[in-house]
Every structure is written in C-alpha cells, then in structure tokens.
Amino acid sequence: MPASDVVRRKTARPSSRSVRGDGKIRKTRKKKQSNGEFRSLSIVCFVAFGVVLLAIKVFVKSRSSPSRYGIDYERYARGNTLRDALRGGNRQKQSSQQQSFGENGSRYFDPRQFPPLPSESSERYDGEGPRRFRGLGDDEWVADAGSKSNGPKVDYTKHKYSYPELMFEPPNDGSYPPLVDMSKIFEFWGQDDLDSPPEIIPEVLQHFDYQNPHEVAAAEKYRDLELPFKVYNVPEVKAAGIKWTDEYVADNFNDAGDDDTPRSYGNAQQSVDSFFAFYYPERWDVDLLGPSPSLDIDWTYDKWAQHAVYADEVSLSPNEKHYYWQSGVTREERLKKRRHWTFVSRDLPSFSSPEPTFFGFNPPAQKGIQCRFGERGVTAATHYDGGRNMIAMMTGAKRYILSPPNACKKLGIVSSRHHPSFRHSMLNFGRVTLLDKKDTGVKMSDREREWLRIAGSAQTLSTVLKAGEVLYVPSHWFHYIASLQKSAQCNTRSGIHEDGNRNFGGMRDVRQCTLDRD
C-alpha cells in the first residue's frame, strides 16, 4: 500500500454520523452518572432522616410518663439521674427559695408534696424543673473530723437480737410475717433513737443459715411464696465486708487500684436533714413544691466516707445535713468477661453471675446491681420495686420497715403521673409518734398530719439488716430504710412476680393504688 494512502487514512476526519453517535454515548454516560449520584445522595438523606426520627422517638419516650413503660421505670429514671451526674449534666443550682423549718430545726414539707387525702378531690400537677439540682456540700465539719475515733455509740452489728423459732414449712395463712400497726413499730423504738435502742431488738423474720442446705431449701420455699426472710453466714458477703475498707472502695472509685479492675463510678447527694426521698428533678417546680428533697454534690467517695465516720463519732443530729453515696453496676456487665467486671461484680459473684444462683435466680431479668453507702441517720422514704429483691449488707447496719403491697393506700403514695414523686411517698414515718404530742417543735401541714395518721395504721414489720446478712424483699413490698450507722449495701433484682402472695397482695394492688386520678 502506498505511503500516501496510509497518511490519508490516519488524518481523515470522521463522518458527521459517527460524531453524533459518540456525542449521544457521552451524554448517556453522563446522565447515568448523574442519576447514580442522585440515587446515592437520596439514600444517604433517607438514612439520615431515619436516624433523626429514631433519635426523636427515643428522646420523647425517655421523657414520657413512666406509667407507660413498665412498673420498674423509676429504677430507669434513677439510672438516668445518676448518669447525668457522672457526665456533668445540667449545673443549675437549687432555687433561691429557702427551706422552712420548725422550732426544733426539723424540715417543713409543703402539703403539695403529698397526694390529696382520700376525702379530697384530685389535683393536677404541671410543674417543671431542671435536669439536676446541684449543691456545694458543707465543710464546716471538716475541722472536727478525726478528732475522735471511737466509732458509733451503738454498734448494731454487735447488738443483742432475739430470733423466732425456725419454721421449715412456710405458713401461707397470713400469719407470717407477723405485722403490726406502724405507729406501734415507732412507739417501741423511735426512728431517731439511734443511741438508745431496746436492750434486745426482737426479730420477726425467719433467719436461715446459708451454710446449712436444709435451711437454704426452706428459704427457697419462702421465696417461692413471696414471703420476706433473711439469710446469714454468706461467705462472699462476709468476705466483702472485710475487704471493703474505705481505702479499698475509694481506690476503685478513684481508679487508683493496684490491679486491672475497671474504675467504678458513683455520686453523692445532700439533704438538709436525715430524710431522703426519690423524685424526678425535671418535674420538680420549686415555685409549686418548695426546695427539692436533695441535691447532687461533687464530693468524692473519700470525702463522703470521712463525713460518715464523723457522723458516727459525734452522733450526728437528724436535723443536720446528711450525705448519701450511690453507685451501680449495669445489667450488661455480667455478660462481659470477668476482667471487665468492676469491684462490686467481682466481690459479689452470686449477684453478678450470668448463671442462676440463690440470690440472682433469674439472670435474664436481672437489672444490674445497685449499691447504697449510708451514714448514720440517713433515711430513705418508702417505695417499692417491681423486681424480686435480694439485699446484701457488707458493712454496718440498716433498719428496714416493710409493708405488703395491699397496704399501699395507707402509705401516702403519690398517684399523679405528672408529679415528681409519682409512685413514691414523701412521708417521714418517724413522725407518727408526734401526732398526739404537744410542743414538739415540728411544723406539719394538716395534710401531712392526716396522712401520718392513716400511715400509722398500715400493717408493718421492722427488721435490722446487719453486716453479713441478706434480706429478701418480695415484689412490690414497700421498704422504708434507716441507716443505723455507716454502712454499705448492694442489691440485685430477679424479675417481677405479678401475683405476689394471696394474703399480702401483689402488682394489682399497687397498680390500683397508684391509678392516676388526674
């Protein structure tokens, strides 16, 4: 082929038809590319929109009325409050409104903190509050702390007690546990008489030796019938009591331990006196109800423990400021490898085990472990837990005032779902002994006084839970707790028993009692 022909073919221009075809191909490719980018962008926007909707749904659900999300929602709210405290949360302080006191320095409770009396019409509550109420704590006591080292005037771990004869077959006729009017409980031994208890404190609950298989088998029968009891001589609880020195516990909260145990977290609360009551801070309106029942403060465990020792040494008055330390273990921790367990789970393996134990007998329904470190006099208002509750005392002692579910209507439980104390009580039961006395110096509203009269007739029992013991509180039983001295207690719950006991009631009773009357 001549060279000139080759050159001509290489330099020849394409026909107009081929140019138009190439242009269409390029346009088609560009259009497809554009469409693909549009589809990708649409998918991203759709996913993002779904995530936003889900986040809004979760947020609204977390702020909704607790009555909609199961009978144990108050525990969830407590966890939220604790988490907010650990993260820093909202640092709004207590309102400038001042707490009112009686002549003897006792706290005055605004009548709107209590539910309407049975003879009164319902009251709708629409108040709002901050996410947290913050305080600064009080350091006036620091100069005197450590000046004494004698411990509490009465050590309830060594006090004298009388116990009932063992019954290996639980009666199911309403005779056990023996209950009496609440007023008689406190007339026999006043709530604040911590330095002058009865010479011998009578116990009414069955008291089983955990090292005796026959007694453990009997305890399981009581548990199956939803009847309260106690066990003692529990090796891991006794070992934890020895191990849990202030230095050891503080190291775990301060991440200063010698081993690889993960750090634990907790927070301190302050009250103007010895009385503490649960409430939802985001609903507590100080203009409607007065100052909040307690404040979150930034104390470390070390400082709290120092004040607790001081409270024992000086027999701290119930009308002085008191402090409470709270911590917890998540339900997920038991599913992790042991090296990821915090000190509470490691030291109480029967409470944290993923397998059934006597104390954690329904692991799938376990909600974690809650721990409360109390100082002398700290009193927690009555409340109930839906879960079947095992409460272990590692150090010190606490007094538990128990009432069955069918006593709910006499305990001043708030039934308005919008109220910050919904399904809890604000009554200080220790005041039932003051109703017929004159010149007590205690300032009470007519509503509080009448509710205390009603509560005085509620069927109740009293028991002292001391170091090394475990108390079983059945589902929906109300418990009012007073720390008799510096103490450490942890509990775990094993699911809800809806029916309860035929003689003492169950979930139906508390639901009817807390039925919203708004």
Side-chain angles (χ1 to χ4, degrees):
M1 179 184 297
S4 59
D5 289 341
V6 175
V7 173
R8 281 197 296 271
R9 289 177 183 177
K10 286 184 178 181
T11 58
R13 296 180 62 185
S15 67
S16 59
R17 180 179 297 178
S18 65
V19 171
R20 287 194 299 269
D22 290 344
K24 288 182 179 180
I25 293 174
R26 285 194 295 271
K27 288 181 180 179
T28 301
R29 289 175 179 174
K30 189 174 181 179
K31 185 175 181 180
K32 289 183 178 180
Q33 182 179 3
S34 177
N35 290 340
E37 291 175 351
F38 178 79
R39 282 196 297 269
S40 299
L41 182 61
S42 299
I43 293 173
V44 171
C45 291
F46 180 81
V47 172
F49 181 73
V51 171
V52 171
L53 284 180
L54 180 61
I56 293 174
K57 182 178 180 181
V58 172
F59 176 81
V60 171
K61 182 175 179 179
S62 70
R63 296 294 181 182
S64 298
S65 170
S67 63
R68 296 176 54 194
Y69 300 104
I71 205 156
D72 270 341
Y73 179 73
E74 63 268 25
R75 241 189 18 82
Y76 173 73
R78 292 190 191 108
N80 278 349
T81 302
L82 176 59
R83 184 172 65 249
D84 289 341
L86 301 180
R87 291 178 175 176
N90 188 327
R91 292 183 171 266
Q92 293 192 42
K93 296 182 180 179
Q94 179 67 291
S95 167
S96 58
Q97 183 174 349
Q98 296 298 310
Q99 179 73 59
S100 178
F101 297 93
E103 295 178 4
N104 70 341
S106 60
R107 186 197 320 195
Y108 172 74
F109 293 90
D110 189 292
R112 291 169 293 184
Q113 295 181 16
F114 306 106
L117 292 164
S119 60
E120 296 177 329
S121 59
S122 62
E123 296 175 351
R124 182 172 180 83
Y125 177 85
D126 291 311
E128 295 182 355
R131 290 184 63 189
R132 298 180 65 200
F133 286 96
R134 292 296 306 271
L136 300 175
D138 181 4
D139 292 337
E140 295 179 1
W141 55 275
V142 174
D144 296 327
S147 59
K148 302 177 182 179
S149 57
N150 298 324
K153 185 176 181 179
V154 178
D155 186 348
Y156 286 89
T157 66
K158 301 176 181 178
H159 198 71
K160 294 181 179 180
Y161 300 86
S162 63
Y163 298 95
E165 183 178 348
L166 281 182
M167 297 185 293
F168 286 88
E169 292 298 327
N172 196 22
D173 57 2
S175 62
Y176 177 88
L179 304 175
V180 300
D181 289 352
M182 184 187 296
S183 59
K184 295 182 179 179
I185 293 287
F186 288 110
E187 287 169 0
F188 176 73
W189 179 21
Q191 174 177 292
D192 299 325
D193 297 336
L194 304 186
D195 294 335
S196 54
E199 184 177 351
I200 300 177
I201 298 177
E203 286 287 339
V204 299
L205 292 182
Q206 288 290 292
H207 204 239
F208 298 109
D209 184 350
Y210 188 67
Q211 295 302 300
N212 185 318
H214 298 293
E215 295 189 22
V216 172
E220 290 176 342
K221 294 180 180 180
Y222 282 77
R223 190 185 69 191
D224 292 342
L225 285 176
E226 283 295 273
L227 296 173
F229 61 88
K230 293 196 293 187
V231 294
Y232 66 98
N233 201 14
V234 183
E236 67 190 67
V237 176
K238 293 170 64 178
I242 296 172
K243 192 175 184 179
W244 286 20
T245 63
D246 285 340
E247 181 180 9
Y248 171 79
V249 176
D251 282 348
N252 280 280
F253 282 118
N254 297 336
D255 198 22
D258 296 331
D259 56 18
D260 59 349
T261 305
R263 180 179 181 178
S264 295
Y265 295 89
N267 78 306
Q269 291 185 332
Q270 169 190 299
S271 174
V272 296
D273 54 20
S274 62
F275 188 73
F276 287 75
F278 172 78
Y279 68 103
Y280 299 95
E282 66 272 15
R283 302 180 191 170
W284 192 279
D285 192 323
V286 295
D287 293 327
L288 297 177
L289 303 176
S292 63
S294 59
L295 305 174
D296 290 328
I297 60 174
D298 286 333
W299 279 13
T300 61
Y301 176 85
D302 308 71
K303 190 166 186 178
W304 173 86
Q306 187 181 9
H307 188 273
V309 171
Y310 165 80
D312 277 344
E313 292 174 346
V314 301
S315 294
L316 190 67
S317 166
N319 292 331
E320 295 189 44
K321 292 177 182 178
H322 282 65
Y323 301 89
Y324 208 8
W325 182 269
Q326 304 183 49
S327 182
V329 174
T330 65
R331 61 181 301 174
E332 293 81 14
E333 183 167 296
R334 65 188 173 86
L335 303 177
K336 299 178 180 179
K337 293 184 178 180
R338 194 178 185 281
R339 67 174 181 270
H340 298 301
W341 285 9
T342 55
F343 81 101
V344 172
S345 294
R346 294 189 182 192
D347 295 344
L348 298 174
S350 294
F351 278 55
S352 54
S353 174
E355 302 299 326
T357 68
F358 177 81
F359 303 109
F361 48 91
N362 186 6
Q366 196 243 36
K367 301 294 184 180
I369 304 174
Q370 293 75 44
C371 296
R372 302 291 182 262
F373 297 78
E375 66 179 14
R376 168 197 166 94
V378 164
T379 301
T382 200
H383 59 283
Y384 72 89
D385 297 310
R388 308 170 75 183
N389 209 345
M390 287 286 186
I391 306 170
M393 190 67 62
M394 270 61 69
T395 62
K398 290 184 177 181
R399 184 185 186 188
Y400 281 74
I401 307 298
L402 304 183
S403 297
N406 58 18
C408 180
K409 292 184 178 181
K410 294 185 175 183
L411 301 176
I413 305 299
V414 176
S415 61
S416 172
R417 70 181 62 192
H418 302 288
H419 195 281
S421 298
F422 176 55
R423 294 199 297 203
H424 293 76
S425 177
M426 287 292 297
L427 288 174
N428 185 334
F429 290 154
R431 295 185 175 188
V432 296
T433 60
L434 306 178
L435 298 179
D436 298 323
K437 296 180 180 179
K438 297 181 179 180
D439 303 325
T440 61
V442 177
K443 182 181 178 182
M444 286 190 281
S445 66
D446 291 340
R447 180 177 286 186
E448 179 185 5
R449 186 177 295 275
E450 185 58 29
W451 264 120
L452 287 171
R453 288 191 186 280
I454 296 172
S457 65
Q459 293 296 283
T460 308
L461 68 85
S462 172
T463 184
V464 174
L465 184 64
K466 51 191 181 296
E469 296 179 337
V470 180
L471 168 66
Y472 177 62
V473 178
S475 279
H476 307 108
W477 275 64
F478 293 89
H479 37 294
Y480 181 88
I481 313 164
S483 295
L484 302 175
Q485 60 194 89
K486 181 174 177 288
S487 59
Q489 157 255 308
C490 294
N491 66 286
T492 188
R493 305 185 186 99
S494 293
I496 297 174
H497 194 294
E498 295 186 1
D499 296 333
N501 182 279
R502 67 187 185 190
N503 300 297
F504 302 110
M507 184 169 68
R508 177 180 298 179
D509 296 86
V510 297
R511 282 191 169 176
Q512 290 178 346
C513 173
T514 58
L515 187 65
D516 195 351
R517 296 193 295 166
D518 284 354

